[in-house]
Amino acid sequence: MKKEKTEEEAFLQLAALCANAEHCQYEMLEKMKRWELSEEAQARVMAQLIEERYVDDRRYARAFVKDKIRYNKWGRRKVQQGLWMKRIDKEIQDEVLDEIDEKEYLDVLKPLLKQKRKSIKANSDYELNQKLVRFAYGRGFTFDIIRQCLDVSDIDEDDFESDED
């Protein structure tokens, strides 16, 4: 039979976890629930983690956004969905997503589309563009960003250019 964690043990284990990588409040609460800590104990441990700056949802969100864009090549919509799933406050989500550098965002999508283009089989430029747009949408990029990258990639597609008004 497993021994229940004390409040102090829970705090020390979570603090050690947070010292190694960014974590959000939701992740810490989920761990404490699995450890079957009382809600009062969870609240006290969480308050201590926040007070001692082990957990900071704003800092976590910034790191999450940076990692997902740079390394996972995710678009804004997919990153926002990831933050929502981590129960990050909407105000923090908006603030952090507004900090995304447009140039860096384009620098992620352009090579992604260029690489994907090599592996797509299509009978026409129109079909190729549709497949590229669907691929980029799936990654969470918005149409305006996708169109900018497709225009830069010298894809002649009248349909995309006519949306410019």
Side-chain angles (χ1 to χ4, degrees), residues 74-91:
W74 284 8
R76 182 186 176 96
R77 287 186 2 256
K78 193 165 182 172
V79 170
Q80 189 170 23
Q81 186 177 29
L83 290 171
W84 177 82
M85 290 176 71
K86 296 289 186 178
R87 311 288 198 278
I88 301 297
D89 186 50
K90 179 86 170 95
E91 177 190 313

Side-chain angles (χ1 to χ4, degrees), residues 75-159:
R76 182 186 176 96
R77 287 186 2 256
K78 193 165 182 172
V79 170
Q80 189 170 23
Q81 186 177 29
L83 290 171
W84 177 82
M85 290 176 71
K86 296 289 186 178
R87 311 288 198 278
I88 301 297
D89 186 50
K90 179 86 170 95
E91 177 190 313
I92 294 173
Q93 285 182 36
D94 293 342
E95 176 187 322
V96 172
L97 289 167
D98 287 343
E99 294 171 2
I100 298 173
D101 178 44
E102 189 82 10
K103 184 190 176 317
E104 180 181 356
Y105 204 52
L106 290 169
D107 289 346
V108 165
L109 184 56
K110 285 177 195 172
L112 202 59
L113 287 172
K114 190 175 180 184
Q115 187 64 37
K116 183 67 178 173
R117 194 176 189 183
K118 294 175 186 172
S119 66
I120 291 180
K121 295 188 180 2
N123 297 323
S124 66
D125 283 348
Y126 179 77
E127 187 181 341
L128 175 70
N129 283 330
Q130 282 196 320
K131 289 181 177 186
L132 286 170
V133 168
R134 268 198 304 274
F135 168 74
Y137 264 140
R139 285 294 185 119
F141 290 93
T142 55
F143 187 73
D144 57 324
I145 297 288
I146 296 168
R147 191 181 70 224
Q148 285 180 49
C149 290
L150 290 176
D151 289 343
V152 169
S153 303
D154 296 327
I155 295 177
D156 315 331
E157 186 47 59
D158 298 334
D159 288 40

